[in-house]
PDB file of all heavy atoms in Angstrom:
ATOM      1  N   GLY V  50     -26.338  -4.188  14.869  1.00  0.00           N
ATOM      2  CA  GLY V  50     -27.511  -3.389  15.153  1.00  0.00           C
ATOM      3  C   GLY V  50     -27.612  -2.170  14.250  1.00  0.00           C
ATOM      4  O   GLY V  50     -27.191  -2.188  13.091  1.00  0.00           O
ATOM      5  N   ALA V  51     -28.143  -1.089  14.803  1.00  0.00           N
ATOM      6  CA  ALA V  51     -28.449   0.116  14.043  1.00  0.00           C
ATOM      7  C   ALA V  51     -27.185   0.823  13.566  1.00  0.00           C
ATOM      8  O   ALA V  51     -26.131   0.771  14.210  1.00  0.00           O
ATOM      9  CB  ALA V  51     -29.274   1.065  14.904  1.00  0.00           C
ATOM     10  N   THR V  52     -27.311   1.477  12.415  1.00  0.00           N
ATOM     11  CA  THR V  52     -26.236   2.289  11.852  1.00  0.00           C
ATOM     12  C   THR V  52     -26.629   3.754  11.943  1.00  0.00           C
ATOM     13  O   THR V  52     -27.735   4.139  11.562  1.00  0.00           O
ATOM     14  CB  THR V  52     -25.964   1.916  10.390  1.00  0.00           C
ATOM     15  OG1 THR V  52     -25.526   0.551  10.328  1.00  0.00           O
ATOM     16  CG2 THR V  52     -24.890   2.813   9.788  1.00  0.00           C
ATOM     17  N   ARG V  53     -25.727   4.551  12.468  1.00  0.00           N
ATOM     18  CA  ARG V  53     -25.929   6.006  12.527  1.00  0.00           C
ATOM     19  C   ARG V  53     -24.676   6.674  11.990  1.00  0.00           C
ATOM     20  O   ARG V  53     -23.601   6.525  12.554  1.00  0.00           O
ATOM     21  CB  ARG V  53     -26.203   6.462  13.970  1.00  0.00           C
ATOM     22  CG  ARG V  53     -27.501   5.937  14.542  1.00  0.00           C
ATOM     23  CD  ARG V  53     -27.696   6.403  15.987  1.00  0.00           C
ATOM     24  NE  ARG V  53     -28.943   5.890  16.549  1.00  0.00           N
ATOM     25  CZ  ARG V  53     -29.087   4.690  17.084  1.00  0.00           C
ATOM     26  NH1 ARG V  53     -28.046   3.868  17.115  1.00  0.00           N
ATOM     27  NH2 ARG V  53     -30.248   4.296  17.570  1.00  0.00           N
ATOM     28  N   GLY V  54     -24.870   7.405  10.892  1.00  0.00           N
ATOM     29  CA  GLY V  54     -23.716   8.021  10.263  1.00  0.00           C
ATOM     30  C   GLY V  54     -22.762   6.965   9.735  1.00  0.00           C
ATOM     31  O   GLY V  54     -23.155   6.075   8.977  1.00  0.00           O
ATOM     32  N   LEU V  55     -21.518   7.019  10.179  1.00  0.00           N
ATOM     33  CA  LEU V  55     -20.490   6.099   9.701  1.00  0.00           C
ATOM     34  C   LEU V  55     -20.254   4.932  10.651  1.00  0.00           C
ATOM     35  O   LEU V  55     -19.343   4.126  10.424  1.00  0.00           O
ATOM     36  CB  LEU V  55     -19.169   6.855   9.478  1.00  0.00           C
ATOM     37  CG  LEU V  55     -19.189   7.980   8.439  1.00  0.00           C
ATOM     38  CD1 LEU V  55     -17.828   8.660   8.378  1.00  0.00           C
ATOM     39  CD2 LEU V  55     -19.572   7.454   7.063  1.00  0.00           C
ATOM     40  N   VAL V  56     -21.060   4.828  11.725  1.00  0.00           N
ATOM     41  CA  VAL V  56     -20.818   3.759  12.701  1.00  0.00           C
ATOM     42  C   VAL V  56     -22.047   2.871  12.874  1.00  0.00           C
ATOM     43  O   VAL V  56     -23.185   3.312  12.714  1.00  0.00           O
ATOM     44  CB  VAL V  56     -20.393   4.332  14.071  1.00  0.00           C
ATOM     45  CG1 VAL V  56     -19.106   5.127  13.953  1.00  0.00           C
ATOM     46  CG2 VAL V  56     -21.485   5.178  14.687  1.00  0.00           C
ATOM     47  N   GLN V  57     -21.784   1.629  13.201  1.00  0.00           N
ATOM     48  CA  GLN V  57     -22.843   0.646  13.406  1.00  0.00           C
ATOM     49  C   GLN V  57     -22.640  -0.041  14.752  1.00  0.00           C
ATOM     50  O   GLN V  57     -21.516  -0.373  15.148  1.00  0.00           O
ATOM     51  CB  GLN V  57     -22.825  -0.411  12.298  1.00  0.00           C
ATOM     52  CG  GLN V  57     -23.950  -1.441  12.405  1.00  0.00           C
ATOM     53  CD  GLN V  57     -23.929  -2.450  11.277  1.00  0.00           C
ATOM     54  OE1 GLN V  57     -22.917  -2.615  10.587  1.00  0.00           O
ATOM     55  NE2 GLN V  57     -25.051  -3.123  11.056  1.00  0.00           N
ATOM     56  N   GLU V  58     -23.732  -0.263  15.471  1.00  0.00           N
ATOM     57  CA  GLU V  58     -23.668  -0.982  16.734  1.00  0.00           C
ATOM     58  C   GLU V  58     -23.430  -2.466  16.476  1.00  0.00           C
ATOM     59  O   GLU V  58     -23.936  -3.030  15.507  1.00  0.00           O
ATOM     60  CB  GLU V  58     -24.966  -0.808  17.513  1.00  0.00           C
ATOM     61  CG  GLU V  58     -25.252   0.622  17.938  1.00  0.00           C
ATOM     62  CD  GLU V  58     -26.560   0.733  18.700  1.00  0.00           C
ATOM     63  OE1 GLU V  58     -27.259  -0.292  18.838  1.00  0.00           O
ATOM     64  OE2 GLU V  58     -26.887   1.846  19.161  1.00  0.00           O
ATOM     65  N   VAL V  59     -22.666  -3.079  17.372  1.00  0.00           N
ATOM     66  CA  VAL V  59     -22.417  -4.511  17.268  1.00  0.00           C
ATOM     67  C   VAL V  59     -22.170  -5.074  18.661  1.00  0.00           C
ATOM     68  O   VAL V  59     -21.614  -4.406  19.528  1.00  0.00           O
ATOM     69  CB  VAL V  59     -21.209  -4.803  16.334  1.00  0.00           C
ATOM     70  CG1 VAL V  59     -19.929  -4.191  16.880  1.00  0.00           C
ATOM     71  CG2 VAL V  59     -21.021  -6.305  16.135  1.00  0.00           C
ATOM     72  N   TYR V  60     -22.640  -6.286  18.881  1.00  0.00           N
ATOM     73  CA  TYR V  60     -22.327  -7.047  20.083  1.00  0.00           C
ATOM     74  C   TYR V  60     -21.559  -8.286  19.634  1.00  0.00           C
ATOM     75  O   TYR V  60     -21.967  -8.961  18.681  1.00  0.00           O
ATOM     76  CB  TYR V  60     -23.603  -7.486  20.806  1.00  0.00           C
ATOM     77  CG  TYR V  60     -24.420  -6.358  21.391  1.00  0.00           C
ATOM     78  CD1 TYR V  60     -25.347  -5.681  20.595  1.00  0.00           C
ATOM     79  CD2 TYR V  60     -24.298  -5.993  22.724  1.00  0.00           C
ATOM     80  CE1 TYR V  60     -26.117  -4.657  21.134  1.00  0.00           C
ATOM     81  CE2 TYR V  60     -25.064  -4.972  23.266  1.00  0.00           C
ATOM     82  CZ  TYR V  60     -25.974  -4.308  22.469  1.00  0.00           C
ATOM     83  OH  TYR V  60     -26.740  -3.295  22.995  1.00  0.00           O
ATOM     84  N   TYR V  61     -20.454  -8.566  20.324  1.00  0.00           N
ATOM     85  CA  TYR V  61     -19.707  -9.777  19.961  1.00  0.00           C
ATOM     86  C   TYR V  61     -19.335 -10.555  21.219  1.00  0.00           C
ATOM     87  O   TYR V  61     -19.343 -10.027  22.334  1.00  0.00           O
ATOM     88  CB  TYR V  61     -18.479  -9.460  19.113  1.00  0.00           C
ATOM     89  CG  TYR V  61     -17.412  -8.587  19.737  1.00  0.00           C
ATOM     90  CD1 TYR V  61     -16.343  -9.146  20.450  1.00  0.00           C
ATOM     91  CD2 TYR V  61     -17.433  -7.210  19.576  1.00  0.00           C
ATOM     92  CE1 TYR V  61     -15.350  -8.367  20.990  1.00  0.00           C
ATOM     93  CE2 TYR V  61     -16.442  -6.403  20.117  1.00  0.00           C
ATOM     94  CZ  TYR V  61     -15.397  -6.988  20.830  1.00  0.00           C
ATOM     95  OH  TYR V  61     -14.412  -6.186  21.370  1.00  0.00           O
ATOM     96  N   GLU V  62     -18.991 -11.806  21.003  1.00  0.00           N
ATOM     97  CA  GLU V  62     -18.723 -12.722  22.101  1.00  0.00           C
ATOM     98  C   GLU V  62     -17.472 -12.312  22.876  1.00  0.00           C
ATOM     99  O   GLU V  62     -16.424 -12.014  22.287  1.00  0.00           O
ATOM    100  CB  GLU V  62     -18.540 -14.134  21.545  1.00  0.00           C
ATOM    101  CG  GLU V  62     -18.290 -15.203  22.604  1.00  0.00           C
ATOM    102  CD  GLU V  62     -18.116 -16.576  21.966  1.00  0.00           C
ATOM    103  OE1 GLU V  62     -17.037 -16.810  21.359  1.00  0.00           O
ATOM    104  OE2 GLU V  62     -19.045 -17.393  22.049  1.00  0.00           O
ATOM    105  N   GLY V  63     -17.602 -12.289  24.208  1.00  0.00           N
ATOM    106  CA  GLY V  63     -16.463 -12.032  25.070  1.00  0.00           C
ATOM    107  C   GLY V  63     -15.989 -13.307  25.739  1.00  0.00           C
ATOM    108  O   GLY V  63     -16.433 -14.408  25.413  1.00  0.00           O
ATOM    109  N   GLU V  64     -15.082 -13.154  26.688  1.00  0.00           N
ATOM    110  CA  GLU V  64     -14.589 -14.300  27.441  1.00  0.00           C
ATOM    111  C   GLU V  64     -15.626 -14.739  28.474  1.00  0.00           C
ATOM    112  O   GLU V  64     -16.312 -13.896  29.074  1.00  0.00           O
ATOM    113  CB  GLU V  64     -13.287 -13.940  28.161  1.00  0.00           C
ATOM    114  CG  GLU V  64     -12.079 -13.892  27.258  1.00  0.00           C
ATOM    115  CD  GLU V  64     -11.671 -15.281  26.788  1.00  0.00           C
ATOM    116  OE1 GLU V  64     -11.005 -15.999  27.546  1.00  0.00           O
ATOM    117  OE2 GLU V  64     -12.026 -15.629  25.656  1.00  0.00           O
ATOM    118  N   PRO V  65     -15.768 -16.015  28.732  1.00  0.00           N
ATOM    119  CA  PRO V  65     -16.678 -16.468  29.796  1.00  0.00           C
ATOM    120  C   PRO V  65     -16.255 -15.896  31.153  1.00  0.00           C
ATOM    121  O   PRO V  65     -15.069 -15.711  31.421  1.00  0.00           O
ATOM    122  CB  PRO V  65     -16.540 -17.993  29.758  1.00  0.00           C
ATOM    123  CG  PRO V  65     -15.973 -18.303  28.405  1.00  0.00           C
ATOM    124  CD  PRO V  65     -15.112 -17.142  28.041  1.00  0.00           C
ATOM    125  N   LEU V  66     -17.240 -15.620  31.988  1.00  0.00           N
ATOM    126  CA  LEU V  66     -16.988 -15.112  33.331  1.00  0.00           C
ATOM    127  C   LEU V  66     -17.752 -15.976  34.326  1.00  0.00           C
ATOM    128  O   LEU V  66     -18.978 -16.097  34.220  1.00  0.00           O
ATOM    129  CB  LEU V  66     -17.431 -13.650  33.446  1.00  0.00           C
ATOM    130  CG  LEU V  66     -17.244 -12.984  34.811  1.00  0.00           C
ATOM    131  CD1 LEU V  66     -15.774 -12.958  35.211  1.00  0.00           C
ATOM    132  CD2 LEU V  66     -17.814 -11.568  34.794  1.00  0.00           C
ATOM    133  N   ALA V  67     -17.027 -16.587  35.245  1.00  0.00           N
ATOM    134  CA  ALA V  67     -17.631 -17.479  36.237  1.00  0.00           C
ATOM    135  C   ALA V  67     -18.466 -18.568  35.563  1.00  0.00           C
ATOM    136  O   ALA V  67     -19.549 -18.927  36.027  1.00  0.00           O
ATOM    137  CB  ALA V  67     -18.485 -16.687  37.211  1.00  0.00           C
ATOM    138  N   GLY V  68     -17.966 -19.072  34.427  1.00  0.00           N
ATOM    139  CA  GLY V  68     -18.642 -20.154  33.727  1.00  0.00           C
ATOM    140  C   GLY V  68     -19.804 -19.733  32.858  1.00  0.00           C
ATOM    141  O   GLY V  68     -20.470 -20.592  32.267  1.00  0.00           O
ATOM    142  N   LYS V  69     -20.045 -18.416  32.743  1.00  0.00           N
ATOM    143  CA  LYS V  69     -21.169 -17.931  31.942  1.00  0.00           C
ATOM    144  C   LYS V  69     -20.655 -17.109  30.762  1.00  0.00           C
ATOM    145  O   LYS V  69     -19.649 -16.412  30.883  1.00  0.00           O
ATOM    146  CB  LYS V  69     -22.101 -17.086  32.806  1.00  0.00           C
ATOM    147  CG  LYS V  69     -22.742 -17.850  33.963  1.00  0.00           C
ATOM    148  CD  LYS V  69     -23.645 -16.944  34.781  1.00  0.00           C
ATOM    149  CE  LYS V  69     -24.278 -17.703  35.940  1.00  0.00           C
ATOM    150  NZ  LYS V  69     -25.154 -16.836  36.770  1.00  0.00           N
ATOM    151  N   PRO V  70     -21.359 -17.171  29.610  1.00  0.00           N
ATOM    152  CA  PRO V  70     -20.917 -16.387  28.449  1.00  0.00           C
ATOM    153  C   PRO V  70     -21.096 -14.895  28.668  1.00  0.00           C
ATOM    154  O   PRO V  70     -21.946 -14.469  29.457  1.00  0.00           O
ATOM    155  CB  PRO V  70     -21.828 -16.898  27.317  1.00  0.00           C
ATOM    156  CG  PRO V  70     -23.046 -17.419  28.017  1.00  0.00           C
ATOM    157  CD  PRO V  70     -22.574 -17.966  29.326  1.00  0.00           C
ATOM    158  N   THR V  71     -20.294 -14.100  28.000  1.00  0.00           N
ATOM    159  CA  THR V  71     -20.418 -12.644  28.061  1.00  0.00           C
ATOM    160  C   THR V  71     -20.465 -12.072  26.647  1.00  0.00           C
ATOM    161  O   THR V  71     -20.068 -12.725  25.681  1.00  0.00           O
ATOM    162  CB  THR V  71     -19.244 -11.997  28.817  1.00  0.00           C
ATOM    163  OG1 THR V  71     -18.039 -12.174  28.061  1.00  0.00           O
ATOM    164  CG2 THR V  71     -19.081 -12.589  30.212  1.00  0.00           C
TER     165      THR V  71
END
Side-chain angles (χ1 to χ4, degrees):
T52 297
R53 294 179 181 83
L55 299 178
V56 299
Q57 183 178 18
E58 296 180 357
V59 62
Y60 294 85
Y61 62 91
E62 182 180 74
E64 284 290 279
L66 179 61
K69 298 180 180 179
T71 67

